[in-house]
Amino acid sequence: MIDLKLLRDDPDRVRESQRRRGEDPSVVDRLLDADELRRAAETSFAALRGEQNALSKHIGHLQGRLKKAADGEKEQAQAELDAAMAGTSDLAERVRAADARRVAAETDATALLSQLSNVIDPHAPVGGEDDFVLVELVGTPRDFAAEGITVRDHVEIGEALGAIDIERGAKVSGSRFYYLTGIGALLEFALVNHAIALACGNGFTPVIPPALVKPSAMEGTGFLGQASENVYRLEADDMYLVGTAEVPLAAYHSDEILEATSLPRRYVGYSPCFRREAGSGGRDTRGIFRVHWFDKVEMFTYSHPDDAENEHARLLGWEKQYFDSLEIPYRVIDVASGDLGASAARKFDIEAWVPSQERYREVTSTSNCTEFQARRLRIRMRDEDGVRPLATLNGTLVAITRTIVALLENHQQADGSVRVPVALRPYLGGREVLTPL
RNA sequence: GGAGGAUUCGCCUAGUGGCCUAGGGCGCACGCUUGGAAAGCGUGUUGGGGGAAACUCCUCAGGGGUUCGAAUCCCCUAUCCUCCGCCA
């Protein structure tokens, strides 16, 4: 959720942010009204409750005196007590009513507040999915024709290597499922170990988080809003399968206050990711590019708000470093306002070159969620100025399936084998090439 | 899944309906003391809402209830511990 003070002080900024996202700016005005009501209800309740507290205390004193009173004084003390008790029921009734009004006003305001997406970073490009800004182009796609190679896609290559089994994935689990077998399975471990090594070398704490979470964790990270149709829910237990380790890593410190001196806190999580892919229609139906489940190594930082922008650059830097080491051509894009999730103020994607499609496709994504998630999850920091929300950021180091797609296709060779990039070899027992069975 | 027990301000703990709607210890911070330190003494030390401020309200795991009044009584839920059953 956003800062109510910002909403009061500069509602235009929030309205503009909503507009750029293509979301409803009128929520801002309804929330301002609801907030006004909430504060009024709060004030009148506090006044009545104060009255009741004072009276209660007085009654307590009188009862104490009655107990200790000598026989001759008992009648007098009793009379005073009776006088004080007169009207207490009526007061209690008014307190109850005021409290009910307060709770109702609070519920209304909170509901509206939770509808607002994060305030967009003014530097983020405005527009929809196609209005991204190209930040950087790294590497050059190979000229396969010049090499005399007819490009094969990852399904062909992967099946020849005995690395990917899509048919049996469908047999057992349905469409958009797969098995990684043999060298495919080993490839996952190699990619994961390589990623974890990079992260640990940069001060990240490795974490294996739960992939099944309570509604509050899902809600707090902002995935139950417009993204909710893509989330798997286990009805019988009211639990959710996470779509990314971001969820359990963000909720990890929920309801906690961290010392500002302990920031930034960097965690790198390895977890399965489950996505319903509702609304993705018939897109990317071939292969393992878009699947209902995959494993991923995700970076997550709890940061001082003033350092969030720099941390965002660092996360992107580590993502680039990882893809550089895989020797895969890619581009970096600054994602446009309409394509940001509810929590992100700004987002950069790395898109790897996919030879069989002759275009760049998303393989990683890093978001600066500023204080938005932290407010929802009640994660704060304490410094000399007191206690306030901190900033959270996340970034993919490696999403296994899409990286395997890019790896197999970009490093394919004329004889059907696949060259292993140098950085990955130590994690594959020194293998330099993957050969068909 | 069954049976018990627990949950209070960072930690330990007092508190079984009002006369403290939360007391004490440890730790921490500041001050006094000292040549300096320790000890000692004093003060402060959960978080949140409203208010320009004075101040005030909420917060004893969470939610409901009883009552003029609940940390305290009743109900539900969560988490942890012990035992039993099942199990990777």
Side-chain angles (χ1 to χ4, degrees), chain A residues 228-365:
Chain A
S228 63
E229 62 171 18
N230 272 310
V231 173
Y232 281 103
R233 172 158 181 259
L234 303 192
E235 175 118 38
D237 301 284
D238 197 17
M239 297 279 280
Y240 292 89
L241 286 167
V242 302
T244 162
E246 172 191 345
V247 173
L249 290 177
Y252 186 63
H253 283 303
S254 53
D255 289 306
E256 293 181 25
I257 298 172
L258 308 178
E259 290 303 325
T261 51
S262 74
L263 303 176
R265 289 206 193 199
R266 301 194 177 103
Y267 297 97
V268 60
Y270 171 54
S271 83
C273 305
F274 301 93
R275 301 183 179 187
R276 295 186 63 234
E277 295 297 343
S280 65
R283 273 190 295 154
D284 304 310
T285 48
R286 182 171 165 81
I288 60 169
F289 186 82
R290 188 180 298 279
V291 288
H292 286 309
W293 146 76
F294 59 96
D295 293 327
K296 180 157 68 74
V297 176
E298 179 84 0
M299 300 177 285
F300 193 90
T301 304
Y302 294 87
S303 154
H304 192 294
D306 296 345
D307 190 42
E309 209 174 318
N310 291 329
E311 181 67 7
H312 200 193
R314 285 188 284 265
L315 291 178
L316 178 60
W318 288 314
E319 291 183 1
K320 286 172 59 187
Q321 196 184 330
Y322 188 82
F323 264 81
D324 288 340
S325 80
L326 295 184
E327 302 171 46
I328 293 170
Y330 63 87
R331 69 179 184 187
V332 179
I333 65 167
D334 192 344
V335 176
S337 54
D339 207 23
L340 297 170
S343 297
R346 202 177 191 192
K347 176 155 97 171
F348 297 104
D349 283 359
I350 287 183
E351 297 185 332
W353 179 254
V354 178
S356 66
Q357 300 182 12
E358 295 191 302
R359 57 182 174 138
Y360 290 97
R361 301 299 308 271
E362 178 182 346
V363 282
T364 77
S365 180

Side-chain angles (χ1 to χ4, degrees), chain A residues 31-100:
Chain A
L31 180 51
L32 282 170
D33 290 345
D35 182 47
E36 193 86 20
L37 280 174
R38 188 199 114 245
R39 282 146 78 197
E42 168 76 37
T43 303
S44 68
F45 166 75
L48 278 168
R49 191 58 199 247
E51 204 180 309
Q52 189 183 39
N53 284 347
L55 188 54
S56 251
K57 206 164 196 170
H58 181 54
I59 290 170
H61 276 95
L62 291 180
Q63 276 197 333
R65 204 192 303 165
L66 179 60
K67 269 179 212 157
K68 285 182 227 147
D71 285 351
E73 294 161 344
K74 277 220 190 304
E75 238 171 75
Q76 168 71 17
Q78 185 64 53
E80 275 185 54
L81 184 57
D82 289 347
M85 291 291 279
T88 49
S89 294
D90 178 58
L91 179 57
E93 194 43 55
R94 282 186 292 146
V95 168
R96 251 193 294 279
D99 192 27

Side-chain angles (χ1 to χ4, degrees), chain A residues 113-136:
Chain A
L113 184 58
S114 71
Q115 280 177 37
L116 278 179
S117 292
N118 198 1
V119 177
I120 267 174
D121 185 319
H123 301 295
V126 179
E129 195 177 342
D130 300 323
D131 296 309
F132 62 84
V133 166
L134 177 64
V135 177
E136 198 178 355

Side-chain angles (χ1 to χ4, degrees), chain A residues 187 327 411 418-425 428 431-434:
Chain A
L187 209 44
E327 302 171 46
H411 295 308
V418 174
R419 188 184 147 265
V420 177
V422 176
L424 214 50
R425 291 176 190 171
L428 283 170
R431 287 179 78 148
E432 296 176 12
V433 72
L434 310 180

Side-chain angles (χ1 to χ4, degrees), chain A residues 158-174:
Chain A
E159 285 179 346
L161 294 176
I164 303 173
D165 190 335
I166 290 168
E167 263 182 52
R168 291 196 175 93
K171 177 176 74 178
V172 175
S173 301

Side-chain angles (χ1 to χ4, degrees), chain A residues 148-218:
Chain A
I149 296 175
T150 307
V151 171
R152 295 183 302 160
D153 76 1
H154 71 277
V155 178
E156 266 188 87
I157 303 168
E159 285 179 346
L161 294 176
I164 303 173
D165 190 335
I166 290 168
E167 263 182 52
R168 291 196 175 93
K171 177 176 74 178
V172 175
S173 301
S175 68
R176 295 199 192 284
F177 282 93
Y178 59 94
Y179 282 75
L180 290 184
T181 55
I183 193 62
L186 295 179
L187 209 44
E188 161 148 353
F189 292 130
L191 289 168
V192 169
N193 284 325
H194 181 36
I196 297 287
L198 188 153
C200 289
N202 287 291
F204 282 80
T205 301
V207 178
I208 310 288
L212 202 50
V213 300
K214 299 197 280 188
S216 58
M218 216 40 135

